[in-house]
Amino acid sequence: MSVPLEASEILNREFPEIRAWLLQIGAALDRMERGSGSVADDERRQSINEALRLLLVPGPNRAEQLQLLFSLRYDPNWKQDFDLPSREPSASRP
């Protein structure tokens, strides 16, 4: 069984990448604001705002929440929507 790293070790190891990602996000948001028009009402921009809010809430499952935020909701009829044949369970499968 592996022993988890100390939080300070993780911060030391990942800080440069995290800083770079944050700078990229800040630069992208700045470019949007400087661009003509507005994307404030765009659903994707609102998802970005929600993602940034999620990151600030302490908790162990931020990655999961972000994945759910940017994922399509499960549609039980997705096979019909893509005209895929439904497969019946095989009797020979365990």
Side-chain angles (χ1 to χ4, degrees), residues 29-42 45:
L29 295 175
D30 287 349
R31 285 191 296 273
M32 280 186 243
E33 280 195 20
R34 286 192 303 264
S36 62
S38 172
V39 292
D41 294 332
D42 188 296
R45 181 65 174 96

Side-chain angles (χ1 to χ4, degrees), residues 28-93:
L29 295 175
D30 287 349
R31 285 191 296 273
M32 280 186 243
E33 280 195 20
R34 286 192 303 264
S36 62
S38 172
V39 292
D41 294 332
D42 188 296
E43 187 176 307
R44 295 168 299 174
R45 181 65 174 96
Q46 292 172 1
S47 292
I48 292 169
N49 288 347
E50 181 61 23
L52 294 171
R53 279 191 287 275
L54 282 172
L55 290 174
L56 294 175
V57 177
N61 62 346
R62 281 173 264 190
E64 177 185 351
Q65 290 179 41
L66 289 174
Q67 182 66 46
L68 290 171
L69 176 66
F70 289 110
S71 298
L72 295 173
R73 301 290 177 247
Y74 179 73
D75 179 359
N77 299 319
W78 68 272
K79 286 186 177 180
Q80 290 87 359
D81 294 345
F82 290 100
D83 293 326
L84 296 173
S86 61
R87 198 187 309 174
E88 297 298 323
S90 173
S92 63
R93 289 188 176 168

